[in-house]
Amino acid sequence: MSNKNIGIKDVAVAAGVSVTTVSHVLNEVSYARISPETRDKVRIIAEQLGYGPNRLAQALRTQRTGMLGLVSEDIATTPHAGRIILGADEAAKARGYNLMIINTSGSASLESRRADVEALLERRVDGILYATMYHRNVELPANLGSVPSVLVDSVAAAGNITAVIPDEEGGARAAVEALLAAGHSRIGFINNTDDVPATRQRLRGFRATLTEAGLDGAAAPVESEVSEVQGGYEAARRILAREDRLTGLFCYNDRMAMGAYRAAAELGLVIPTDLSVVGFDDQELIAANLHPGLTTVALPHYEMGAWATEHLIDAVEGKTDLSLMALHPTILSCPLVRRDSITAPRQ
Amino acid sequence: MSNKNIGIKDVAVAAGVSVTTVSHVLNEVSYARISPETRDKVRIIAEQLGYGPNRLAQALRTQRTGMLGLVSEDIATTPHAGRIILGADEAAKARGYNLMIINTSGSASLESRRADVEALLERRVDGILYATMYHRNVELPANLGSVPSVLVDSVAAAGNITAVIPDEEGGARAAVEALLAAGHSRIGFINNTDDVPATRQRLRGFRATLTEAGLDGAAAPVESEVSEVQGGYEAARRILAREDRLTGLFCYNDRMAMGAYRAAAELGLVIPTDLSVVGFDDQELIAANLHPGLTTVALPHYEMGAWATEHLIDAVEGKTDLSLMALHPTILSCPLVRRDSITAPRQ
DNA sequence: GGACGTGGGAGACAGATGAGCAACAAGAAC
DNA sequence: GTTCTTGTTGCTCATCTGTCTCCCACGTCC
């Protein structure tokens, strides 16, 4: 039952000491010399009164709010945002920080995003996390630079801010390797049409892995469509109509894989016995609920949120120099999540 | 390019007036008598210097932070949380407030949730939104009561806090009415097994709507299973095996509907011509991506978040008395989202 | 000599912090 | 053995953070 009308002054009066002493005791100020008896008394009385410090007043004096701003794109659209927020929130909470969240849109004007950052700055957040909903290059409002900042799931167009991104190529490699390991050699890729890093890097990973396995990666079949269920369906129809009868299919994301499932069903192909499929994103709602469960590559949203928060706090507390880390984005791996959509090809 | 080292004092010096005057001008204090020239000068200089008020200091002085706390359950698990947050954020931003978010777990101990609320209180949020991820009765930490609070998507076990919840029964009615309107008369319901309000109220809506249409609602077939894809599949297998060949199926949620789709496919039933299906939740990722698109009932998460925020702010600003509203939860309607899973039954 | 037009001074908000002060003890000088 | 010095312990005072707001002051005009 903490009563927020209780101040340090009330504790001081009740304990018969000065506010200075109460402050010293409660903050365990190292150089303060106070007898153990007094310390106990202060602590007990503070507890009894349900005293909690006014973080506003603390922050005003110490120039530290213990708040981090999180500008997040399109919170409602994907579950990805939730995972980033969760990772950030847990990392922040563990170190005594809290998150102030502002939603923005990927298509919002630079000015409106500047205003969002400004709102955070007026509240004197100690640092800012800027999270985008998919891996790309973003143009950032200039005022972002006025406090320590970290980018999540994208890199700054200007290249001047520390960022953490997923290992798209490594994820693609893991996916293709899983197909190779199961014995497949006729493997296709249905890719996204957007010109974003994920599109390019997953393709690179796809081709390189095949080549390294002794196959002709450069000639391996690739069909591109809009990265939605319908696009996946169409690309799969095309790629499965090839003469060389693919047995393994790597999909740009789980939604496209969902379309591929339908295409396969229409063609009378049973997954995984006739066609093994791997997705990307690990969108639980889709991947775990398709039948059979979709083996896919997980994007490390939680981990990116946590990593970014850890390092942001380190910077805030002077333990790290973010400008050094800004030179190259940090890359977090995308682990394969095995379900039931891969098996050995038929003879 | 706002510089956060600039204070009201700097503006005052640069403008050659007192801080009082600057404060009066910038806050447009009604009783302040200051010449238009002075006002302009102050405003221009503040702008030039990139002055932004220190909200901490303002808050300390005025006892208003303009921050709302949002305790949200399981942010990462469903997209629902994102929609609530979005609704709350937009409503808050429109009125000059910001959101401080803390994640918690539906299964977290009362004590840990008390600590979460406590963290918010120490930061002197003006009010608290407490959002759960599905409609149920929750036991709330007692310190929630120390500032204005509103519950989102649940009602307080103690019944003492203003709440906003979805119209589960109305949503079920809309779903069944859509089937009736298409001409169906043999309609079944696959329900959840959890004993939560949604389970009971959707069932009630299902039966009542049939009865009012002159059918035997009390005898209408209902099968219950765990509210996941697999449960939906099993319940659908059972309910579709009945002799009276249902032509319409109402599903507790979209995940169960997804399972029903598979059951129908296995039985050689084509949706919607052989079987019309309605879901609940409008989980985009599922409903829009099933084939054919699933007609379903949308839960008003965005609206609940916005409604709760509006009324919370009203209470904070003294325009509303929440204790009066606490007597009965506010119920927001669940609109039907039409896609392609309903058509007229075969003759 | 009030009324009006313009503007400034001095707390107060709640807590943090460096400097300083009283009380006492141990050791040194006489 | 007494006084002075120096040090330590235990705690307090004054000031600071940036802004708001009540109350007062000054000059001018009727």
Side-chain angles (χ1 to χ4, degrees), chain B residues 169 173 203-213 217:
Chain B
E169 182 171 340
R173 284 174 174 275
L203 177 61
R204 177 147 31 114
F206 169 73
R207 293 207 192 282
T209 308
L210 290 179
T211 300
E212 287 162 19

Side-chain angles (χ1 to χ4, degrees), chain B residues 9 31 73 79 90 92 107 116 120 126 146 168 173 189 203 207 216 240 258 269 288-289 292 295 301 329 340-341 345:
Chain B
K9 202 175 300 180
Y31 57 80
E73 273 183 6
E90 294 196 344
S107 58
D116 288 334
L120 258 14
D126 292 335
S146 47
E168 309 278 3
R173 284 174 174 275
F189 178 32
L203 177 61
R207 293 207 192 282
D216 189 353
L240 293 176
M258 187 172 177
L269 298 172
N289 289 328
T295 291
H301 284 112
D340 309 308
S341 62

Side-chain angles (χ1 to χ4, degrees), chain A residues 5-23 26 45-46 49 51-54:
Chain A
N5 303 322
I6 300 290
I8 199 175
K9 202 175 300 181
D10 304 292
V11 177
V13 171
V17 297
S18 71
V19 291
T20 303
T21 301
V22 176
S23 176
L26 265 24
I45 294 201
L49 263 42
Y51 170 75
N54 182 326

Side-chain angles (χ1 to χ4, degrees), chain A residues 153-170:
Chain A
D153 206 10
S154 53
V155 296
N160 54 347
I161 297 197
T162 297
V164 56
I165 54 176
D167 181 9
E168 309 279 0
E169 182 171 342

Side-chain angles (χ1 to χ4, degrees), chain A:
Chain A
M1 266 357 81
S2 77
N3 184 333
K4 287 317 169 201
N5 303 322
I6 300 290
I8 199 175
K9 202 175 300 181
D10 304 292
V11 177
V13 171
V17 297
S18 71
V19 291
T20 303
T21 301
V22 176
S23 176
H24 283 338
V25 172
L26 265 24
N27 293 317
E28 298 180 352
V29 173
S30 59
Y31 58 80
R33 297 168 313 220
I34 297 163
S35 71
E37 298 78 46
T38 307
R39 286 177 188 276
D40 287 349
K41 185 167 53 172
V42 168
R43 275 195 266 259
I44 289 170
I45 294 201
E47 170 76 15
Q48 284 176 348
L49 263 42
Y51 170 75
N54 182 326
R55 301 274 244 132
L56 294 176
Q58 275 186 331
L60 185 61
R61 182 65 231 261
T62 61
Q63 306 288 5
R64 276 286 163 76
T65 53
M67 299 196 305
L68 302 179
L70 170 53
V71 180
S72 171
E73 274 183 5
D74 306 316
I75 282 183
T77 317
T78 71
H80 296 159
R83 302 240 297 289
I84 291 177
I85 295 174
L86 183 62
D89 185 62
E90 293 195 346
K93 200 185 281 190
R95 294 184 63 171
Y97 286 70
N98 288 119
L99 252 37
M100 172 127 248
I101 296 195
I102 292 202
N103 182 66
T104 185
S105 154
S107 58
S109 70
L110 195 58
E111 166 54 24
S112 103
R113 289 181 290 141
R114 199 201 58 77
D116 289 334
V117 170
E118 186 68 20
L120 259 13
L121 293 176
E122 284 186 355
R123 295 200 182 277
R124 298 301 191 274
V125 294
D126 292 336
I128 294 183
L129 297 161
Y130 197 103
T132 57
M133 272 324 107
Y134 63 92
H135 180 181
R136 67 178 199 276
N137 295 340
V138 281
E139 189 189 359
L140 295 166
N143 53 357
L144 230 205
S146 49
V147 292
S149 313
V150 178
L151 266 176
V152 184
D153 206 10
S154 53
V155 296
N160 54 347
I161 297 197
T162 297
V164 56
I165 54 176
D167 181 9
E168 309 279 0
E169 182 171 342
R173 284 173 174 275
V176 176
E177 277 161 11
L179 289 169
L180 289 170
H184 296 270
S185 55
R186 298 194 305 282
I187 301 172
F189 177 33
I190 56 181
N191 200 5
N192 179 19
T193 45
D194 295 331
D195 182 29
V196 294
T199 305
R200 294 190 296 273
Q201 293 168 20
R202 289 178 199 177
L203 176 61
R204 176 149 31 116
F206 168 72
R207 294 207 192 280
T209 309
L210 290 179
T211 301
E212 287 162 20
L215 300 171
D216 189 353
V222 174
E223 291 287 344
S224 298
E225 278 295 340
V226 173
S227 62
E228 296 298 333
V229 175
Q230 183 62 21
Y233 169 77
E234 289 166 13
R237 287 296 301 221
R238 286 207 302 276
I239 213 167
L240 292 176
R242 293 168 52 92
E243 313 229 318
D244 59 347
R245 289 281 170 206
L246 300 181
T247 62
L249 186 61
F250 172 40
C251 305
Y252 176 79
N253 64 18
D254 293 351
R255 295 198 298 285
M256 292 189 86
M258 187 172 176
Y261 265 54
R262 182 156 68 84
E266 288 183 7
L267 294 169
L269 298 172
V270 175
I271 296 172
T273 47
D274 297 321
L275 180 70
S276 287
V277 179
V278 198
F280 211 112
D281 278 9
D282 194 29
Q283 294 206 311
E284 289 269 335
L285 226 42
I286 292 180
N289 289 327
L290 285 175
H291 189 79
L294 177 67
T295 292
T296 187
V297 177
L299 284 167
H301 284 112
Y302 178 93
E303 291 76 9
M304 292 192 291
W307 186 96
T309 305
E310 279 292 337
H311 288 80
L312 182 59
I313 294 176
D314 281 348
V316 165
E317 297 181 350
K319 297 176 185 165
T320 294
D321 184 355
L322 285 180
S323 65
L324 293 179
M325 312 189 69
L327 271 42
H328 299 291
T330 293
I331 298 171
L332 261 35
S333 73
C334 299
L336 187 74
V337 178
R338 292 179 193 278
R339 293 200 179 85
D340 309 308
S341 61
I342 296 184
T343 189
R346 288 216 168 114
Q347 286 320 320

